Amino acid sequence: SSALVRCEAPWHEEGLVSVEVSLDGAARQYTSGGAAVFEYASMGEVAAVEPWSGPEEGGTAVVLLGSGLETSVACRFGSVAPVAGRGSVNRMECMSPGRGAGATVVGASANLAEYSRSEVHFAYEASGRALAVVPESGPASGGTAVRVLGEGVSGSSAPCRFGSEVTVGEVVRSEEVCMMDARATGLASVSSFYGMVQEGGDGLGSYAESSFAVYGFSAMTGGSGVLGWRSGRRCVVEVEVVCSAPAQSAGVVSVELGSASASSDAVVFAYEVPAEVHAARPGVGHGGGVVTLEGAHLTLERARAFRFGGSGAVSGDVVSSALVRCEAPWHEEGLVSVEVSLDGAARQYTSGGAAVFEYASMGEVAAVEPWSGPEEGGTAVVLLGSGLETSVACRFGSVAPVAGRGSVNRMECMSPGRGAGATVVGASANLAEYSRSEVHFAYEASGRALAVVPESGPASGGTAVRV
C-alpha cells in the first residue's frame, strides 16, 4: 500500500544502520537522516540445551546454551514458534510448549522472524497413561493400596495423580509389549494385559489400529500372552505401579500416571464414605458368642470383614446399613477395639473407632447356698465360685436373665418362681453368655391343704382343726 512495503534485508556487518528509500527512481539519490533504523545482529548459536528432555505436555524450563544469545527474545521448538523467552550472555531461557513425543530442533531468535541454525534437539517424552486400576474404589480416608496398570513411565517410581492429589508409587512390574496387525498374520484379535484378557475389539483399547496381536509378556495371573518379541509395528512399555490413594472427599476422581493431566478417557477411582462401627452389644463376652454391631454404611461391599483387637477377620451377617451380627472370635481377656474392613480384602481397617468389646471370663460356679427353696421363688441364693465379679445376672434353668450382683468369688440373686425339681444355675456378665455349670438349685414342691374339719370356729380362736 502507500504506507507498507516488504523487502529482503541484504547481508551487512553487525551494527545499527539507517533504512533509506530512493528519491529519483534510479537508485542514485536517497533520503538521508530519516527515522528508520535497522540493527544487524548475530542470531546466535545454540550449542546445548538443559535439560535435554521433558514431558509432551510442555512446561519444562529449558535453557539454551551457546553464544550471541543476549539479544534473543524468543525460542523455537521445531515448528512451534515464537516461544517467549529471555536472553542473556551465552544463554536463553524458555518454557517448552506442548508438542507430540519425539526429538525436535531448538533455536533462538532476536526478531521473531529469523532463528539461529542449530543441530541441537530437545526430546519430548510420552506421558504416562493409566489403563486400569485395581481396586476401583476405596475409603475417603485414603490409604488404599491401588495397582495402576498403564504405560509410558520408566524408572523404579512414578507419580500417581488421583484427581488433583499426587502421590509417588512404586513400579513393581515393567515389560515391553509389541503390537502388530493380527489380520496380516492370520492371528485372532487378542487383548491381554496383566491377567485381564478380552477377545476382539481394539487391542488394549489404547490405539487407533483396529486389530492387534499382543507380544512380549506373560500375564500375571492365569496363562500367557502370545509369545514373540518386536515382531510388529508398535512396541510400548507396560507397567504396574502400586500407589497409596491419598485422602479425598467422597466422589469419583480420574487417575493418571506421570505428569499428564486428566484426559477424556481417563480411568477413575471412587472414594466412598467408610463404614463405621459405633457400638458392640453385648459389650463384654469371652468369645464364641453372637455380637450385634451398630454403626453406619455397613451395607457397603467392602464392609464384610470385622476384627476384634488383633484377632483374625470374621465375617458378619448384614441386617441393615446400621446393624450387623457376627461371632466374636477367641481373644485373651481385656478391652479391644472393634474395627470394620475398609477395602473388602481384610487388609485395611478403621482405626481409633468408638466401638469397644471387653473379653472377660464368664466365671465358674462351684456351689450354691442354699441348695434349695420353694417353687414360688423369692429365696436369696448365693452362687460361689471364681471370676464372678463382673457378673450382672443369674440363670435358673431356662429362666434368665435374673438380676443380681457380683463380687469376688460370689454372685447374689433372688430365685424366680419355677416348677418343683432341680435346675442348673449360672452367671453372666453380658446377659447373653452364661457360665457353664453342673451346679443345681432344687425347687421344692409347696404343701397344699385338701380339707379341714371342722370348717368353722369362734373368732377368739382355740379351735382344734384337723387338716
Side-chain angles (χ1 to χ4, degrees):
S1 70
S2 62
L4 195 65
V5 171
R6 288 192 178 96
C7 61
E8 184 176 311
W11 182 91
H12 197 283
E13 61 184 8
E14 293 184 14
L16 201 65
V17 300
S18 61
V19 180
E20 303 169 348
V21 60
S22 169
L23 292 176
D24 57 6
R28 290 192 297 266
Q29 186 180 8
Y30 289 85
T31 57
S32 61
V37 294
F38 182 83
E39 181 179 5
Y40 280 92
S42 170
M43 287 295 100
E45 293 184 5
V46 178
V49 61
E50 293 180 354
W52 61 270
S53 66
E56 59 185 348
E57 292 81 17
T60 303
V62 180
V63 178
L64 281 59
L65 303 174
S67 59
L69 300 175
E70 53 270 17
T71 60
S72 297
V73 294
C75 296
R76 180 181 64 180
F77 288 77
S79 60
V80 181
V83 178
R86 181 179 59 187
S88 58
V89 178
N90 298 333
R91 61 188 288 129
M92 176 69 180
E93 299 178 9
C94 296
M95 195 71 72
S96 67
R99 184 181 169 89
T104 189
V105 173
V106 295
S109 174
N111 62 7
L112 305 183
E114 299 169 292
Y115 287 84
S116 58
R117 295 180 180 178
S118 169
E119 297 299 323
V120 177
H121 291 76
F122 179 80
Y124 280 94
E125 299 175 343
S127 300
R129 186 157 63 120
L131 302 177
V133 294
V134 178
E136 296 179 341
S137 64
S141 56
T144 302
V146 181
R147 291 170 56 214
V148 183
L149 310 176
E151 64 181 13
V153 298
S154 59
S156 60
S157 63
C160 300
R161 183 187 299 274
F162 289 76
S164 61
E165 299 293 328
V166 178
T167 183
V168 177
E170 178 186 3
V171 177
V172 297
R173 190 177 180 91
S174 178
E175 295 194 50
E176 186 176 43
V177 178
C178 295
M179 300 181 187
M180 65 182 296
D181 193 336
R183 293 167 298 185
T185 63
L187 293 172
S189 176
V190 177
S191 171
S192 297
F193 188 65
Y194 292 148
M196 297 184 292
V197 180
Q198 73 176 37
E199 295 184 357
D202 296 336
L204 294 179
S206 306
Y207 304 98
E209 293 90 344
S210 61
S211 186
F212 291 103
V214 181
Y215 284 79
F217 72 100
S218 295
M220 291 185 67
T221 59
S224 301
V226 183
L227 299 179
W229 283 96
R230 307 190 69 84
S231 182
R233 58 184 183 182
R234 181 166 185 180
C235 294
V236 295
V237 176
E238 304 289 4
V239 296
E240 178 187 358
V241 185
V242 177
C243 307
S244 178
Q248 296 258 33
S249 300
V252 177
V253 300
S254 61
V255 180
E256 292 289 347
L257 283 178
S259 58
S261 57
S263 59
S264 59
D265 60 347
V267 297
V268 296
F269 182 82
Y271 281 96
E272 299 175 344
V273 177
E276 301 173 355
V277 178
H278 301 153
R281 307 196 187 284
V284 61
H286 67 276
V290 175
V291 179
T292 299
L293 304 179
E294 301 173 359
H297 313 297
L298 298 177
T299 54
L300 293 175
E301 186 63 31
R302 63 176 182 274
R304 291 294 183 266
F306 300 86
R307 184 171 66 180
F308 288 68
S311 66
V314 296
S315 59
D317 295 326
V318 177
V319 178
S320 69
S321 63
L323 202 66
V324 169
R325 290 192 178 97
C326 63
E327 184 175 305
W330 182 89
H331 196 283
E332 60 184 9
E333 293 185 14
L335 201 65
V336 301
S337 61
V338 181
E339 303 166 347
V340 58
S341 170
L342 293 175
D343 58 6
R347 290 190 298 262
Q348 186 183 5
Y349 288 84
T350 55
S351 59
V356 294
F357 183 81
E358 182 181 3
Y359 279 93
S361 169
M362 289 294 101
E364 292 184 7
V365 178
V368 60
E369 293 180 353
W371 60 271
S372 66
E375 60 184 350
E376 292 82 11
T379 302
V381 180
V382 178
L383 280 60
L384 303 173
S386 61
L388 299 175
E389 53 271 18
T390 59
S391 297
V392 294
C394 296
R395 179 180 65 180
F396 288 76
S398 61
V399 181
V402 177
R405 182 178 60 186
S407 59
V408 178
N409 299 332
R410 62 189 287 131
M411 176 70 182
E412 299 178 8
C413 296
M414 194 71 72
S415 66
R418 184 182 171 88
T423 188
V424 173
V425 293
S428 174
N430 62 8
L431 305 182
E433 301 168 291
Y434 286 84
S435 59
R436 295 179 180 178
S437 170
E438 297 299 324
V439 177
H440 292 75
F441 179 81
Y443 278 93
E444 299 174 344
S446 301
R448 187 165 59 131
L450 300 177
V452 293
V453 177
E455 296 179 345
S456 63
S460 58
T463 301
V465 180
R466 294 171 55 207
V467 180

